[in-house]
Amino acid sequence: PHRRLWDRWFMMGSIGVTVALIGWALFFAIERLATAKYHAVRWLLSRQSLGVAKLFVAWLFNLAYSLALVFASTWTVVTIAPEAAGAGVAEVMAYLNGCNLPRVFNIRTLLVKFVSCAAAVGSGLPVGPEGPMVHIGAMAGAALSQGHSTSLGFSTGLFRRFQNPKDKRDFVTAGTAVGIAVAFSAPIGGLLFAFEELSSAFSQALGWQIFFACMIAVLALDTLRSAQHSLGRGHFGLFDGDTSTIFFEVQTVLANHVAAMAPAALIGVLAGLLAIGFTVINLKVARLRIRVLRGKRWWRMAEPCLLMGAFVTLGMLLPLAFPCTPTQCYIEQGQTQPVCPPGVSPNVQRIVEQSLELYTCSAGGADSETPAEARNGTLPRSYNELATLMSVTGEDAIRHLLSRGTHREFGYAALLVMLVFYFGGAVWAAGSAIASGLFVPMLLIGSCVGRLVGLAAVDIAASGGRGSAGAPPGVFLPPSPWAWVDPGAFALIGAGAFMGGVTRLTISLAVIMMEVSNDVRMLLPILVGILVAKWVADAATHSLYHGLLEVKCVPWLPPEPSARRPLDLVPVRYAMAAPAVTLNERMAVEALRGILRDTRHSGFPVVRATPAGQVFVGLLARDHLMVLLRRVMARGLPGANGEAGQDDIAFEDLSRHFVSAAARSLILEQQLAVLQARGTPGGNGEQVASACEVEGELDLTPYIHTSAPAVPETFSLERAYALFRSLGARHLTVVDAHNRVKGVVTRKDLLGYRLDEAVDRAQAAGVLPSS
Amino acid sequence: PHRRLWDRWFMMGSIGVTVALIGWALFFAIERLATAKYHAVRWLLSRQSLGVAKLFVAWLFNLAYSLALVFASTWTVVTIAPEAAGAGVAEVMAYLNGCNLPRVFNIRTLLVKFVSCAAAVGSGLPVGPEGPMVHIGAMAGAALSQGHSTSLGFSTGLFRRFQNPKDKRDFVTAGTAVGIAVAFSAPIGGLLFAFEELSSAFSQALGWQIFFACMIAVLALDTLRSAQHSLGRGHFGLFDGDTSTIFFEVQTVLANHVAAMAPAALIGVLAGLLAIGFTVINLKVARLRIRVLRGKRWWRMAEPCLLMGAFVTLGMLLPLAFPCTPTQCYIEQGQTQPVCPPGVSPNVQRIVEQSLELYTCSAGGADSETPAEARNGTLPRSYNELATLMSVTGEDAIRHLLSRGTHREFGYAALLVMLVFYFGGAVWAAGSAIASGLFVPMLLIGSCVGRLVGLAAVDIAASGGRGSAGAPPGVFLPPSPWAWVDPGAFALIGAGAFMGGVTRLTISLAVIMMEVSNDVRMLLPILVGILVAKWVADAATHSLYHGLLEVKCVPWLPPEPSARRPLDLVPVRYAMAAPAVTLNERMAVEALRGILRDTRHSGFPVVRATPAGQVFVGLLARDHLMVLLRRVMARGLPGANGEAGQDDIAFEDLSRHFVSAAARSLILEQQLAVLQARGTPGGNGEQVASACEVEGELDLTPYIHTSAPAVPETFSLERAYALFRSLGARHLTVVDAHNRVKGVVTRKDLLGYRLDEAVDRAQAAGVLPSS
């Protein structure tokens, strides 16, 4: 029971390695850009000699550096490839769902996406690189498997058999999965992400291949990181602490408690409500942006720059409102005993991490000008709560929020301000003309929510007089049975819950949380948080991606039909478009041209005339018909001028012809030319014969898709929907009892409001009870 | 876009809690039974006063205790419910695939399964409770959702709408997932197990509900365990160390290395080869057992007892061949520095765990009669390598094998003997007349393989002179960059690889390994091991479950058609059974009875006579027709005797009628009675009228399934297969261009050899090139 599939496995491995390389380069660029900025700002702020002016100088540098990067990011997007704007996750979802968007998998889009994303994330905007990695992965999957000879002259001899829609779709799926796997170092999470977004079209064999691709990708990524770090240290190939790709690794393992489910559910409710707000505002901003900024190039570029200015300025002003918090003891992650300097009262309340931001606060020692992280094991005397969250990258801020044993490192005020600040920034940044993702902002916002609830839980528990033996009151460290009351652990729950509320992912999200934190002990409350947030959010809105696709008018089909009523008993007849434009098995070229010119349908049922009427034979796609017609116009009818056989066009050549999105615009022009019977611009050296030269009939029989599904008029609409999803179909022919074509159902007929209309028609016809 | 589904969620939660309760009780019973046995044996062996006779006494006790349990286990199975034999995983897979086996979800089967499994696993046979938990979960899902009024008188008013095949299937799927989730405390692993076995019929909404069920189940299980342990200690609700449900928790976290992929691949190859042997021998034994033991009740009961005798005897004799190994230093799991008594040479090679089996070896102190585990922190002077693996439960043996930092605790000889011993025992035990699973044996066998390779890796690395600073040569503890060369870590890889080779699970298995070990750092080599093992095994055999279903002649359809050649171009015409027996929309009762009596088809296409021939209208299931006919025989034709309307049978009542497997045998008898026109035995007080009384025609129109798929003769066989899998169909009607029925395809037509025959026919007809 074995087929030769080595080339598929090889292609999967190639996609994995390629995406890992791109991802590594992207993360490397971002890290360097961001580190340079934050180091310089920190250094400027520590120049006591500048006095109060140090703040102004630091702000000026920060602003100039960030604006330069943001401008680079938005300029490339707006002037070179507008398709690269945003995360691209929704576009990939649309493609995998069966809707083609132009130029989504273009090589130019890939390059711009990379540059723009690196600059945008490196600049410190509230955006992340994970969404773009999904798009980049999908683009790599499409580019590698399809060969892309049109733009790069790449040799395609080896993988010609992948040049068809189904295989392309498979490899794009793999690329998507690999993108997530690389973004989060989560091979299984990536695979499940791809599965959860397109469950019905997922075969087991494809699952295994994608699994392999994700594995290879993470292996390659880990090896690259290890190599990068080993340059200074030796030990190439070891995946240890410094080169660890477990982003938010939990080091202090906490035993869980059944009572933790209550705050987890509360976090779920709050995160769900916030997610509704996030989604709704996001969509409103997206609509507004389309209305206001359409066509205004410079305004589109100005928008992210404006945001950056506000973000930098507020990010440096807001912490000033916070006093310098004195530090007392610190805890190393992974340890359960804090280190306190001698003489500190045993009633200390504040245990903090070692890496804190001084901001304008004094380090307190002679070495006050060295940045905090350079002084190993010694702690500054005081720190700024808000700056510790705002003056670092989003990922570092998440790490601060997830740190355990640091119950009161951040107060309510700092967390609330950070939440509002980042929420606003993320909503504004998403969808502006930069390539940027939402995963990091979502995790950060969720972490703030979780940590706020955690802080409240600590206060409640402490007010009950509980505390752990050997630790100060209100601080519960691991040997204590109350150790689970830890704001850092709650922040992890919040991160998962908010992301679940916005994206409506569940299984893949849970696995990703497990893989990025390397801890299954918190799995149960995370699951509770995710499910509750999803329920809450489901009650009010679609997922953000679904909403964005609606804003863009893409006919995306959700896994379940989104009609007001069950469709089981609605006959498909009430949803179809009728009468359908049909073709005959043999048709005059002129008639074909007329049909193509007069209709916009992307597929036509083909019928055969019999004594009992015109019965359905199969389906012919518009694309295929177009290619066929173009050949005929160029060379005459096959077999007509004596060179029979040679001119025949194989069926598989038809689908192979549509190689890439890049070639598509050219083909559209050619189509127009054919229809208007004028010469093609360029082409492959073919010259279109003038229309009047080609007469006679064309035999369509070899090109008809005879496995195209057809269903009787009484077929249940619910089941028809399932067919669309599981076969990835675009057309469903509806026939009567004698197999005569009655109409055609397309994806657009299955959108929510069209389904509701079908239900209304069925009720009007008395087929359904009207209740 | 919201439907009222609270009852589904409620049912999912109920299934979760119920299965968690059953699972907890099962594990509790097993633990008590096994602990009693091993404690007593250990105590007897430590009686120095008995001299050499202590061995004999211990053996006698062990044999008697174990035989009593095994006999109880096999007696219940053989005399009460033979369906409870084996793991039941294959049976559940068959059901979910669309094949009904009799009495698989019977309540009696459930009870016997529980008792037999507890006794068998508690006796110490090389079997585990995880497989039976899957079956128990599926049974609970069926029982709870279907109400089961027939045997228990349970009120079914609330959930009548679940009494149809589709919902039942959904809840059985949930039960399966919950079974795995409870067995391994792996909520996501359980969900993915269910998904991986039936990917195509998995909707997103169902996925979320099952996710919820698994979450609730693990939460309930954790709470129960916590309650059980808190009886003595307080802290109810805390899921900490002792009550931890992370079975094989990794406590010493090791940084991974890219070079670890090589031994992982080697382990994959070895585990794959061994898995082929395991599968092939298992199937041969199953066939042999069917041939030799069919009908011989006492021999069937004697078989597991015989195995137990051999297993106990060998298990106590074999360790005698191993000398008492002196202990030097010990390591606590989670620590990186071993504890050595003062005066031990720094060149110590052997670091061991604290819990070791003395067997006949001397503890070396005055307290020699206390079992090892009671002496906290002190170590016996010597131990028996093989007894440490053999004189404990399977799970404890796995824990020993997975222990880290104990590089040379077990030598090659002990590991090899254990491997052969357990391999043989597991192959023999599987499928004998006890309720028992294979997961624990598979993990144990795989761990042995992995640890053997790990030991070789240690020797190779040590011979290169490498060793970690501060640790003895050839022992690499965590700060060292060679720490990844750890036989315990390799054993984890082996466990996953062997299980992957036998079951061909990949994604769910990887997640389960992650959840039971609480460590993602070893994920990459585990993935490599699983994939390589699967590849190796795929080249030679089907998965064990697939094979077992073949042995039982169940028409199970694998995810991909297992034909020798691709089926894309084979028209479905060559696979169908023709001509088909069809019904008309109105038929004489007598004619219907004749058709039911003369054919064994489980569904009939219904046709309508038109001028253009008899066109296809829909499908009528044999079951439905049978129920209909029985009503008619009992009450006469609807509307015939003046009580029109009242007697009409609603379509949904037809499918609701088949509530449980228990009711099925009764129904079969009734069917026979109807066909032979004699009175029904019992029934619901209905009396079947004698045949001659009922004349006239029956209108079948309301009962025809009009959404039954029909495809043209030219439809591709590959796509027809996909339709069967994705719609969970049992019949596919094949029609010609005029919608006239030409034949019917059933599941049996899609088995491997039938597909090959279809290809041959197509080639003979010249449709396919013969190459």
Side-chain angles (χ1 to χ4, degrees), chain B residues 212-489:
Chain B
F212 173 72
C214 291
M215 188 186 83
I216 291 288
V218 175
L219 185 58
L221 181 69
D222 280 358
T223 309
L224 282 168
R225 292 219 176 148
S226 164
Q228 172 192 341
H229 286 267
S230 75
L231 284 180
R233 288 183 328 142
H235 302 330
F236 163 75
L238 192 69
F239 309 151
D240 67 353
D242 296 343
T243 65
S244 165
T245 48
I246 302 171
F247 285 137
F248 307 118
E249 183 162 15
V250 164
Q251 281 158 338
T252 313
V253 172
L254 297 176
N256 207 344
H257 195 282
V258 66
M261 305 307 144
L266 176 64
I267 291 173
V269 172
L270 294 177
L273 291 174
L274 215 57
I276 296 174
F278 190 80
T279 308
V280 169
I281 300 177
N282 226 313
L283 297 179
K284 280 205 188 306
V285 170
R287 285 215 179 78
L288 191 72
R289 189 174 282 130
I290 289 176
R291 220 173 41 236
V292 175
L293 295 185
R294 187 190 288 278
K296 297 175 186 153
R297 266 177 67 157
W298 289 103
W299 278 110
R300 289 194 65 203
M301 287 195 230
E303 192 203 351
C305 296
L306 216 67
L307 167 60
M308 186 80 249
F311 203 73
V312 163
T313 310
L314 279 176
M316 296 200 69
L317 278 181
L318 287 174
L320 290 181
F322 282 76
C324 287
T325 314
T327 56
Q328 291 164 311
C329 307
Y330 76 88
I331 192 162
E332 255 185 276
Q333 292 298 301
Q335 301 300 313
T336 56
Q337 280 303 313
V339 180
C340 296
V344 165
S345 133
N347 274 341
V348 59
Q349 289 267 331
R350 194 175 298 267
I351 300 172
V352 297
E353 298 163 280
Q354 269 182 277
S355 59
L356 293 164
E357 291 299 319
L358 296 178
Y359 204 55
T360 58
C361 303
S362 146
D367 51 350
S368 64
E369 304 210 343
T370 343
E373 66 239 49
R375 279 166 290 121
N376 248 332
T378 61
L379 201 66
R381 290 266 174 79
S382 61
Y383 69 104
N384 187 302
E385 287 184 14
L386 196 56
T388 301
L389 294 175
M390 284 189 178
S391 295
V392 292
T393 63
E395 287 186 18
D396 280 337
I398 296 173
R399 270 186 211 109
H400 283 306
L401 290 169
L402 296 184
S403 69
R404 295 186 175 182
T406 57
H407 298 58
R408 293 173 199 281
E409 182 170 323
F410 305 106
Y412 291 103
L415 290 171
L416 263 177
V417 171
M418 182 68 184
L419 176 60
V420 172
F421 174 71
Y422 222 80
F423 187 93
V427 167
W428 189 0
S432 63
I434 49 172
S436 65
L438 275 174
F439 286 128
V440 162
M442 284 192 286
L443 290 175
L444 205 153
I445 293 168
S447 299
C448 286
V449 175
R451 197 152 179 127
L452 275 168
V453 172
L455 201 53
V458 168
D459 280 346
I460 292 168
S463 72
R466 291 174 196 89
S468 73
V475 171
F476 315 109
L477 291 169
S480 153
W482 288 89
W484 59 273
V485 185
D486 189 313

Side-chain angles (χ1 to χ4, degrees), chain A residues 366-420:
Chain A
D367 53 350
S368 63
E369 305 212 341
T370 342
E373 67 241 45
R375 278 166 291 122
N376 246 333
T378 62
L379 200 66
R381 289 265 175 77
S382 61
Y383 69 103
N384 187 304
E385 286 184 15
L386 195 56
T388 300
L389 294 174
M390 284 190 179
S391 297
V392 292
T393 62
E395 287 186 18
D396 280 337
I398 296 173
R399 271 186 210 107
H400 283 305
L401 290 170
L402 297 185
S403 69
R404 297 186 175 181
T406 58
H407 298 58
R408 294 173 196 282
E409 181 170 323
F410 305 106
Y412 291 102
L415 290 171
L416 262 177
V417 171
M418 182 68 185
L419 175 60
V420 173

Side-chain angles (χ1 to χ4, degrees), chain A residues 196 204 208 237 239 249 256-258 506 514 518 520-521 523 534 559 610 705 707 716 719 737-739, chain B residues 196 204 208 236-237 239 249 256-258 506 514-515 518 520-521 534 559 610 705 707 716 719 737-739:
Chain A
E196 203 164 344
Q204 225 178 45
W208 289 327
F239 309 151
E249 183 162 14
N256 208 343
H257 195 282
V258 67
T506 52
M514 208 156 83
N518 192 13
V520 302
R521 284 194 179 270
L523 186 59
K534 187 184 130 56
T610 69
H705 180 36
S707 292
S716 125
R719 216 155 180 187
H738 296 281
N739 200 24
Chain B
E196 204 164 344
Q204 229 179 40
W208 289 326
F236 163 75
F239 309 151
E249 183 162 15
N256 207 344
H257 195 282
V258 66
T506 52
M514 207 156 84
E515 287 186 288
N518 192 13
V520 302
R521 286 193 177 271
K534 188 183 128 58
T610 69
H705 179 35
S707 291
S716 122
R719 215 151 181 189
H738 297 281
N739 199 24

